[in-house]
């Protein structure tokens, strides 16, 4: 059935449902099934009568299709045992990820790599299983190999093929990243004028250093050797490129090599690099102050020069976007009406300074909400410090943010003599010193853009931190149990591919679901294999409806014959063009 529009003699359009059919003599004909109404009349009820009519007819076609399908009868015997060792429940959530794997051209990338190497296994199959397994059921390579046996499709490879594939993936790491970037452009122009960079590290359950695994400053305070990972993300939160380094390398030295790789392999030369304070060395700022590049980086107020800190914390001279008047923070905080009015606002001030022969602008912000948050956290830590003073928990602090930083220790008397016992007390000077920075935040940049825009760009750094959290938590990227450097590199390459694929997949769902919800729902999509086909063993929900709408076909029928499931397999391996919403 399709839409038929009769324009009429006087231009009054009328909409009909029309159906084609084949006559007994083999010729085709058509007939009107239903009159939907005049266009002008329908316009009173529907904003777009044509679109409404097409949607209505699509539902009629779907209902007709269901009616044509004959019911399937499946016979079971109450006293017949199931076959020993026969699997009947299979995972199908990966099919929706598979559509993105092939749309990103990873199959073509694998085929090109295969032509350059001498091996017999199917690299596309192994890489796809590693990616799906990393997202849905993250485990060891052995565990992923076992997981492949639970997938709807049957794969023909052995465990040793997986480890051999890792060697190839590691060798082709840079090529894979460059090709992924090019292939991702078909989903819409990448927001790669703004690039976010950050570093993290991953620990290994070993005690002896080896290869890349070195003792360094662990982000998780683990007493294990680590490797360091640097990650570039575009302005929309989609990963762009990554690098790996020995665990004892200063993270500030990791930025420039990866930037040079992006410039060379990706053909990008003009972009703004946004980083946190830990990567804001003078060398990195200077590197991004030339050649069409620029920087936005967090600037520690505590590391400013004295006159700069005095300017930054001065209560007078603060701006608000779209307001002409200057504000005095002391007045705002002491006046109840002003406090309530501006408690969700962000005040700012800015000034240019020449630091390390670089002209850069410091933009300082102040937020009442941020101030209250910092004080709430500190008050909780002070209470913990007070409890520790009344107990035996007076050990030295282990981290910069440890509550024990508020406990001071005295080893001498007022006369300078050595005390017989150590005296512990609450360090009120330390508390007062920290309080004066509450609510304040600063970024440094060489851009001339509006300060509000610079602040907005910097606030999106949370997405790269979330990407690291996804890899460490949902993808279980650590601890790592591989030993050889090339296989460690391959492991993180598959983590990077998984993250990029998942981020695009996540955006295609319209930002309606959290990372945890998406993965949980995909894990639950399973199928029971019967003698006639596959029956969904999951609950149909709003999520699965959205998922199928994006996917372009459905798996939520009461039973899917084997022949139809083969068509779904084939469809999931065909690329589609989907413009990801921002």
């Amino acid at each position: 059935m399709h839409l038929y529009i009769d324009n009429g003699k006087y231009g009054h359009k009328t909409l009909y449902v029309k159906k084609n059919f084949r006559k007994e003599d083999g010729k085709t004909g058509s007939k009107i099934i239903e009159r939907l109404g005049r266009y002008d009349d329908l316009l009173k009820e529907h904003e777009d009568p044509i679109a409404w009519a097409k949607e209505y007819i699509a539902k009629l076609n779907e209902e007709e299709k269901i009616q044509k399908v004959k019911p399937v009868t499946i016979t079971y015997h109450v006293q017949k045992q199931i076959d020993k060792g026969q699997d009947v429940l299979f995972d199908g959530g990966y099919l929706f990820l598979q559509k993105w794997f092939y749309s990103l051209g990873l199959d073509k990338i694998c085929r090109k790599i295969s032509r350059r190497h001498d091996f017999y296994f199917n690299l596309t199959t192994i890489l796809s299983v590693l990616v799906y397994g990393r997202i849905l059921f993250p485990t060891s390579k052995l565990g992923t190999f076992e997981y492949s046996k639970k997938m709807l499709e049957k794969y023909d490879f052995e465990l040793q093929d997986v480890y051999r594939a890792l060697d190839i993936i590691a060798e082709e790491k840079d090529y894979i990243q460059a090709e992924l970037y090019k292939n991702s452009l078909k989903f819409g122009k990448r927001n790669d004028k703004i690039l976010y960079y950050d570093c993290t590290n991953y620990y290994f359950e070993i005690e002896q250093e080896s290869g890349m695994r070195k003792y360094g400053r662990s982000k998780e305070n683990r007493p294990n050797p680590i490797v360091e990972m640097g990650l570039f993300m575009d302005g929309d939160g989609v990963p762009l490129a990554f690098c790996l380094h020995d665990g004892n390398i200063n993270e500030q030295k990791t930025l420039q090599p990866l930037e040079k790789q992006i410039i060379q392999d990706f053909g990008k030369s003009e972009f703004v690099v946004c980083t946190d304070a830990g990567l804001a060395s003078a060398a990195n700022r200077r590197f991004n102050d030339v050649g069409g590049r620029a920087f936005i980086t967090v600037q520690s107020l505590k590391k400013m020069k004295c006159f700069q800190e005095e300017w930054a914390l001065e209560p007078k001279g603060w701006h608000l976007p779209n307001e002409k008047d200057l504000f005095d923070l002391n007045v705002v905080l002491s006046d109840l009406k002003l406090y309530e009015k501006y408690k969700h606002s962000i005040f700012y001030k800015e000034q240019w300074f020449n630091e390390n022969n670089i002209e850069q602008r410091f933009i300082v912000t102040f937020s009442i909400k941020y101030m209250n948050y910092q004080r709430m956290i500190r008050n909780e830590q002070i209470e913990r410090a007070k409890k520790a003073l009344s107990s035996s928990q007076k050990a030295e602090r282990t981290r910069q943010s440890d509550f024990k930083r508020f406990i001071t220790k005295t080893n001498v008397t007022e006369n300078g003599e050595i005390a017989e016992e150590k005296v512990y007390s609450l360090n009120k000077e330390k508390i007062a010193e920290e309080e004066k920075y509450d609510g304040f935040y600063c970024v440094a940049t060489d851009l001339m853009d509006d300060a509000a825009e610079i602040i907005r760009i910097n606030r999106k750094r949370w997405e790269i931190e979330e990407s690291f959290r996804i890899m460490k938590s949902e993808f279980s990227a650590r601890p790592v149990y591989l030993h050889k450097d090339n296989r460690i590199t391959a492991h993180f390459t598959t983590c990077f591919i998984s993250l990029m694929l998942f981020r695009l997949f996540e955006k295609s769902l319209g930002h309606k679901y959290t990372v945890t919800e998406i993965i949980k729902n995909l894990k639950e999509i399973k199928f029971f294999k019967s003698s006639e086909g596959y029956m969904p063993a999951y609950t149909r929900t709003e999520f699965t409806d959205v998922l199928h709408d994006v996917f372009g076909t459905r798996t939520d029928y009461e039973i899917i014959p084997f022949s139809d499931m083969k068509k779904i397999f084939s469809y999931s391996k065909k690329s589609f063009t989907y413009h990801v919403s921002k």
Side-chain angles (χ1 to χ4, degrees), residues 119-135:
F119 56 79
Y120 60 87
F121 51 81
N122 189 321
L123 183 61
T124 301
T125 297
I126 294 176
L127 180 59
S128 65
V129 170
L130 289 172
V131 170
Y132 309 150
R134 181 55 49 190
I135 296 173

Side-chain angles (χ1 to χ4, degrees), residues 4 9-11 44 61 92 106 120 135 184 240 256 302 315 334 363 383 406 419 426 435 479 483 519 522 527 554:
Y4 172 69
K9 291 183 179 180
Y10 304 102
K44 297 175 184 178
N61 286 327
L106 281 159
Y120 60 87
I135 296 173
S184 69
L240 189 79
Q256 293 184 33
K302 297 176 182 178
S334 60
I363 302 174
E383 290 302 314
F406 297 131
L426 198 65
E435 278 185 348
H483 304 290
I519 294 177
L522 286 176
F527 295 86
R554 309 200 71 84

Side-chain angles (χ1 to χ4, degrees), residues 101 106-115 123-124 127:
F101 183 92
L106 281 159
D107 58 321
K108 297 182 178 67
I109 293 173
C110 288
R111 285 200 294 270
K112 290 179 181 177
I113 291 174
S114 298
R115 296 189 192 108
L123 183 61
T124 301
L127 180 59

Side-chain angles (χ1 to χ4, degrees), residues 254-381:
T254 66
L255 174 63
Q256 293 184 33
L258 188 55
E259 272 195 64
K260 292 174 182 177
Q261 180 183 330
I262 289 174
I263 294 170
Q264 177 181 332
D265 295 347
F266 295 15
K268 301 298 301 178
S269 58
E270 298 184 4
F271 47 83
V272 178
V273 176
C274 190
T275 69
D276 65 10
L279 292 154
S281 67
N284 286 341
R285 298 188 198 197
R286 192 174 296 109
F287 180 77
N288 284 306
D289 191 41
V290 296
R293 298 189 301 279
F295 65 84
I296 300 173
T297 188
V298 178
Q299 172 64 49
S300 171
L301 276 78
K302 297 176 182 178
K303 293 182 179 179
M304 285 182 174
K305 294 176 180 177
C306 291
F307 75 93
Q308 293 171 338
E309 183 178 317
E310 289 177 5
W311 162 80
L313 301 180
E314 166 61 43
K316 295 181 180 179
W318 290 84
H319 298 267
L320 271 180
N322 303 320
E323 294 204 25
K324 295 181 181 179
D325 297 333
L326 295 179
F327 293 83
D328 185 327
L329 296 182
N330 286 340
V331 174
V332 173
L333 293 174
S334 60
D335 188 306
L336 184 58
K337 289 184 178 179
L338 291 177
Y339 183 94
E340 287 297 318
K341 181 179 180 180
Y342 296 118
K343 65 181 180 180
H344 297 297
S345 301
I346 297 179
F347 298 87
Y348 72 91
K349 62 167 59 174
E350 55 182 314
Q351 187 167 323
W352 285 88
F353 295 98
N354 188 297
E355 286 289 302
N356 300 302
N357 295 321
I358 306 171
E359 289 291 334
Q360 50 190 305
R361 180 167 53 143
F362 286 2
I363 302 174
V364 185
T365 63
F366 176 80
S367 164
I368 295 175
K369 185 177 179 181
Y370 184 44
M371 176 189 72
N372 291 335
Y373 170 76
Q374 288 181 301
R375 291 186 175 176
M376 178 191 71
I377 297 298
R378 185 181 302 104
N379 288 337
E380 291 176 354
Q381 293 176 330

Side-chain angles (χ1 to χ4, degrees), residues 173-174 176-181 184 190 192 195-199 229-234 238-244 254-255 257-263 265-266 268 464 467-468 471 492-493 496-497 499-500:
K173 172 180 72 76
D174 294 341
I176 291 172
Q177 291 184 75
E179 289 298 298
L180 270 179
Y181 169 75
S184 69
R190 293 287 295 267
D192 49 17
L195 301 183
Y196 296 85
Y197 183 75
D198 203 355
C199 279
M229 181 183 193
L231 179 68
F232 262 115
M233 178 191 82
D234 71 15
V238 180
L240 189 79
F242 83 101
C243 59
L244 285 179
T254 66
L255 174 63
L258 188 55
E259 272 195 64
K260 292 174 182 177
Q261 180 183 330
I262 289 174
I263 294 170
D265 295 347
F266 295 15
K268 301 298 301 178
I464 196 166
S467 291
F468 282 139
M471 281 197 287
F492 287 108
T493 302
F496 170 79
I497 296 171
L499 181 64
M500 183 175 182

Side-chain angles (χ1 to χ4, degrees), residues 156-169:
D156 184 21
F157 62 87
E158 300 297 331
L159 180 59
Q160 61 265 26
D161 298 331
V162 175
Y163 290 106
R164 290 167 184 160
L166 292 178
D167 298 336
I168 303 298
I169 293 169

Side-chain angles (χ1 to χ4, degrees), residues 12 60 122 129 188 226 248 267 283 294:
H12 297 299
L60 291 179
N122 189 321
V129 170
I226 57 176
N248 59 359

